Amino acid sequence: MLVHPPSVLFAVAALLLVASGAAASLGFRPQSRRGSRWWLSANVILAVGIVLQAVVDPIGEGAPLAALCVLQWPIIMLAGVRRFYSRGATRMPEWADRMALIVAALVTVGTWLAPFEFATTAQIFVGCAFALTSYAAIAVSRLEDFASTTTLRTLRVALVASAIVQAAWLAVDVAYLGTVIAPADVAVGSMIAIGAVALLMTQLSLVMNHERRIAHLVASQRKLKHLVDVDPLTRLPNRRHFHELAERAVEVARDASTLIVFDVDRLKRVNELLGHANGDEALRQIGTALRETLRRRDVAGRIGGDEFAAILPKTRLADSAIVVSRIIARLDDRQVAPRIAKIALNVGSVQMNANETIGDALRRAEAVMVSVRNEARRSDTMPMPRETAPDSESPSASAPSSMMSLIPVGEVTVS
């Protein structure tokens, strides 16, 4: 050959070891994925195989070992990629990877033990390396994450290019160079092609780890934003976030939107008699009822201790009573202790004006709610006429328990 093959192999092995060492020093961090160790180990084994190819007798006992060290790279690298993207599925099972490597290894070693007449051992090795590289390219493209990351697409392009180079080198050797170069030197071209992809993989591994760290950072920021914007008890937007979402929801047709405000009637007594855990459970059930009842375009939020609000875009005030009734019906199925203390709501609703802010509408709705609540409580203090008392014939009905007299039991008052 025009170049000295052992020198080229030594140079490729040295570059591979240096690049792998640099990638290992930067990539082996607590946040790095376990797959990184697989392909970096494959790089080291590949470098050992390339060095063996440069120093051992091409027809000696070390030649099959050098070939096996090179053939393992596409499959071990693929195993690392599978583990790195372990959350995604694949249409090619992992056991097929092992079978492909075993078959290629048996064919390669078998040619040294019983050579074929139609091909040299080096040509068989190149053919097996081409097959494994092509298989790895197909397997990478079948990963579920392939469509969402450019790193895997770049790796597939590199594997396909390496397979094409190996196939072209084998074809040229069979057609033209069979009598020009030594048979053992045919394997050099295939090893260099695989070594080039391995060098690229050291850089891709850093990119993959960086992408994963960025994804984790984005997920952490999203969780923090959720904690800041969402009330943890009811899983509804808090007051600040409700204002933001509500303003965004009504900006198209502000005067065609209805704002509803309601609170839990005498929640303090419920907490005192049944415990704060039951009071919290009541608030939690109200949040669930709102999420299950409102439309996707509606916005609900917890704006105070026991106070909630909901903005209904493109909904008139007359239609809001239907929405409230649905909320009440869903809440009735989720009462904490319906026989002891049925949770009652005080509700106030207003139609928004054209130039009104959410804050101004909230103040108007809260004023309506307070007015209705006070009027309802004044009505509760009036003595009930004896002829209208329910079940007046029953002696037990005319003497309610002391706990029932302390906790309001009744329907929701809607303005």
Side-chain angles (χ1 to χ4, degrees):
M1 298 183 65
L2 300 178
V3 296
H4 188 233
S7 300
V8 176
L9 293 175
F10 275 122
V12 172
L15 289 174
L16 190 57
L17 289 176
V18 171
S20 300
S25 63
L26 296 175
F28 283 0
R29 295 287 186 267
Q31 299 87 354
S32 63
R33 304 289 292 183
R34 56 178 178 172
S36 302
R37 292 173 172 81
W38 283 74
W39 57 66
L40 290 176
S41 299
N43 285 359
V44 174
I45 299 174
L46 174 62
V48 172
I50 292 176
V51 171
L52 287 176
Q53 179 69 18
V55 299
V56 301
D57 185 1
I59 59 175
E61 297 180 354
L65 179 60
L68 293 179
C69 289
V70 175
L71 290 177
Q72 58 79 35
W73 188 86
I75 303 303
I76 301 301
M77 178 276 303
L78 178 61
V81 172
R82 287 182 184 274
R83 282 156 180 78
F84 188 89
Y85 296 100
S86 57
R87 295 174 300 174
T90 177
R91 286 173 285 180
M92 297 183 68
E94 192 170 357
W95 61 263
D97 304 348
R98 295 190 290 269
M99 290 300 300
L101 179 58
I102 291 173
V103 171
L106 291 177
V107 172
T108 302
V109 174
T111 56
W112 263 275
L113 300 177
F116 297 123
E117 296 181 357
F118 60 88
T120 64
T121 56
Q123 291 174 344
I124 295 297
F125 162 76
V126 175
C128 291
F130 162 77
L132 290 180
T133 305
S134 302
Y135 173 86
I138 296 173
V140 166
S141 64
R142 294 296 186 270
L143 293 175
E144 184 177 337
D145 296 272
F146 178 79
S148 60
T149 173
T150 58
T151 306
L152 289 180
R153 293 195 290 270
T154 303
L155 177 59
R156 185 187 66 170
V157 170
L159 290 171
V160 170
S162 177
I164 293 175
V165 170
Q166 294 177 61
W169 175 252
L170 180 61
V172 170
D173 175 72
V174 172
Y176 304 105
L177 301 180
T179 58
V180 178
I181 63 175
D185 293 336
V186 177
V188 174
S190 180
M191 291 184 176
I192 294 176
I194 294 178
V197 183
L199 284 171
L200 176 63
M201 190 61 199
T202 60
Q203 306 305 312
L204 292 180
S205 65
L206 298 177
V207 176
M208 292 160 66
N209 278 307
H210 178 70
E211 289 179 346
R212 185 57 53 86
R213 294 190 187 104
I214 294 298
H216 287 170
L217 180 60
V218 171
S220 299
Q221 292 176 341
R222 188 181 300 114
K223 291 179 181 178
L224 290 175
K225 181 174 176 57
H226 179 80
L227 293 175
V228 171
D229 293 340
V230 178
D231 172 57
L233 180 62
T234 61
R235 293 166 55 193
L236 294 175
N238 55 26
R239 187 180 188 93
R240 180 190 58 79
H241 195 45
F242 171 77
H243 276 259
E244 295 175 354
L245 297 178
E247 288 288 354
R248 196 180 309 162
V250 301
E251 61 183 0
V252 176
R254 187 176 297 268
D255 56 347
S257 303
T258 299
L259 181 66
I260 302 174
V261 176
F262 58 90
D263 65 3
V264 181
D265 193 33
R266 296 173 182 172
L267 179 64
K268 182 178 180 180
R269 291 191 177 184
V270 176
N271 288 332
E272 291 174 351
L273 296 174
L274 299 180
H276 288 275
N278 286 315
D280 290 344
E281 180 61 25
L283 296 176
R284 189 180 297 110
Q285 290 172 1
I286 293 173
T288 303
L290 288 172
R291 289 195 305 273
E292 294 177 350
T293 305
L294 298 181
R295 302 165 299 181
R296 184 181 296 273
R297 65 187 181 188
D298 299 334
V299 178
R302 183 185 180 188
I303 59 176
D306 64 339
E307 191 172 347
F308 297 82
I311 189 71
L312 310 178
K314 299 181 180 179
T315 303
R316 292 297 177 181
L317 182 61
D319 299 327
S320 64
I322 301 176
V323 179
V324 173
S325 64
R326 290 174 181 171
I327 297 173
I328 301 308
R330 184 60 60 92
L331 185 60
D332 285 343
D333 297 333
R334 298 179 174 274
Q335 291 289 338
V336 176
R339 296 184 180 180
I340 301 176
K342 183 178 180 180
I343 300 301
L345 301 180
N346 302 304
V347 182
S349 56
V350 296
Q351 184 85 37
M352 291 193 63
N353 299 322
N355 298 322
E356 190 176 29
T357 65
I358 294 296
D360 294 337
L362 276 174
R363 282 187 285 273
R364 289 201 298 121
E366 288 171 350
V368 173
M369 180 189 67
V370 171
S371 176
V372 173
R373 179 179 60 195
N374 294 337
E375 182 179 351
R377 289 181 179 179
R378 282 195 300 269
S379 301
D380 291 341
T381 59
M382 297 176 61
M384 180 180 294
R386 190 170 185 80
E387 62 271 19
T388 60
D391 298 329
S392 58
E393 311 87 74
S394 173
S396 61
S398 60
S401 65
S402 60
M403 182 172 291
M404 289 291 289
S405 65
L406 290 174
I407 303 176
V409 179
E411 300 299 329
V412 176
T413 304
V414 183
S415 67

